[in-house]
Amino acid sequence: KEKNKNEKKEPIPKRKIVKLPKQSAFNPNQKAIALTFDDGPNPSTTSKILNALKENKGHATFFVLGSRVQYYPDMLNKIRKGGNEIGNHSYSHPLLTRLPLKQAVKQVEETQQIIEKASGFTPTHFRPPYGGTNGQINAAVNMKVTLWDVDPEDWKYRNSQYVANYILTHASSGETVLMHDIYDTSANAAVTIIKELTKQGYQLLTVSELEQWKELRAKKGELNT
């Protein structure tokens, strides 16, 4: 208790308060992109991406598989620590539309529980494996479905330079980029992209932040008309 009293006399709490908005503040007037990473976590490659995000003060969203979180539960706190978002990508990556509804929903709900248990965080966004879903599944899981705008097919082209070039030439402001954080080539490409997009003046936002960014821009547009 005494320690707290001392702390109040020091300017430390003030600094703490300043730090928080910095992490989640973004500028609606500045261009923005959401980088997303599927199928992890994987300690070596996911960590490499997290370090690059931290160095460039960027955020991303990691759509994790329940089966992998069970192997690497500690990775989720590392992801969250950097102000990044965790999304749900099912338990074992099946094409959900080929499963009975009950099983498809179980894939998502079990993963929610695993993520919550490992990190205390409850994902709000769900990315169906292969982008395959339907109205029934969406209604049953009751989460925001997040697809993507730019897909370099990094699982197919295991070539860092190709993947980085593809994204840098195809991505533009307001878009969501799909990558996989389980390949070395993708992690290396991500490091390049994170540096380069930041240099180009992009804010690297989580999926949730990009939604807020779009809302703020829409409101500004209404004010200007």
Side-chain angles (χ1 to χ4, degrees):
K1 270 184 183 172
E2 275 181 19
K3 226 179 182 180
N4 281 354
K5 275 185 202 160
N6 291 343
E7 220 182 15
K8 272 179 192 159
K9 288 175 197 165
E10 310 255 345
I12 291 171
K14 265 188 194 156
R15 270 213 299 271
K16 274 184 193 155
I17 290 163
V18 169
K19 244 182 187 168
L20 276 173
K22 214 176 182 181
Q23 211 181 10
S24 57
F26 50 83
N27 180 355
N29 303 318
Q30 188 189 341
K31 52 189 185 172
I33 271 181
L35 299 180
T36 63
F37 297 93
D38 289 9
D39 296 356
N42 179 46
S44 62
T45 44
T46 306
S47 298
K48 192 179 236 182
I49 295 166
L50 289 174
N51 290 340
L53 286 164
K54 193 179 168 186
E55 276 170 29
N56 293 276
K57 298 183 173 59
H59 300 150
T61 304
F62 294 80
F63 286 94
V64 299
L65 293 174
S67 54
R68 292 189 72 86
V69 174
Q70 285 191 310
Y71 274 104
Y72 308 116
D74 299 350
M75 284 306 299
L76 295 195
N77 287 325
K78 285 188 179 163
I79 291 171
R80 292 287 299 146
K81 216 173 148 184
N84 304 293
E85 187 171 7
I86 297 165
N88 187 322
H89 194 43
S90 82
Y91 181 79
S92 58
H93 210 281
L95 181 55
L96 298 177
T97 48
R98 293 239 178 106
L99 297 178
L101 182 63
K102 210 172 170 183
Q103 270 179 275
V105 172
K106 194 180 170 197
Q107 279 275 338
V108 180
E109 286 181 350
E110 262 186 21
T111 301
Q112 282 294 80
Q113 286 161 10
I114 291 164
I115 293 169
E116 281 167 12
K117 200 176 159 191
S119 65
F121 177 75
T122 308
T124 51
H125 291 73
F126 155 61
R127 173 171 282 162
Y130 314 104
T133 188
N134 57 36
Q136 253 189 325
I137 294 169
N138 296 348
V141 301
N142 195 24
M143 295 172 77
K144 290 182 177 176
V145 178
T146 305
L147 298 176
W148 55 86
D149 304 298
V150 181
D151 178 7
E153 298 190 309
D154 60 327
W155 52 273
K156 186 159 78 177
Y157 301 102
R158 306 283 180 88
N159 176 322
S160 304
Q161 205 177 348
Y162 171 84
V163 172
N165 287 346
Y166 184 94
I167 292 168
L168 291 170
T169 50
H170 289 78
S172 57
S173 190
E175 293 191 329
T176 299
V177 177
L178 167 67
M179 293 179 76
H180 298 81
D181 57 329
I182 48 172
Y183 309 117
D184 284 322
T185 45
S186 296
N188 292 335
V191 172
T192 304
I193 292 152
I194 289 163
K195 280 183 194 158
E196 195 49 43
L197 290 174
T198 307
K199 229 188 262 175
Q200 290 176 16
Y202 281 97
Q203 302 170 92
L204 305 182
L205 304 183
T206 65
V207 165
S208 291
E209 287 168 349
L210 191 71
E211 284 172 355
Q212 293 168 337
W213 177 87
K214 285 180 178 172
E215 278 166 26
L216 285 171
R217 283 176 78 88
K219 272 184 197 153
K220 279 195 59 157
E222 283 163 22
L223 292 176
N224 293 337
T225 46

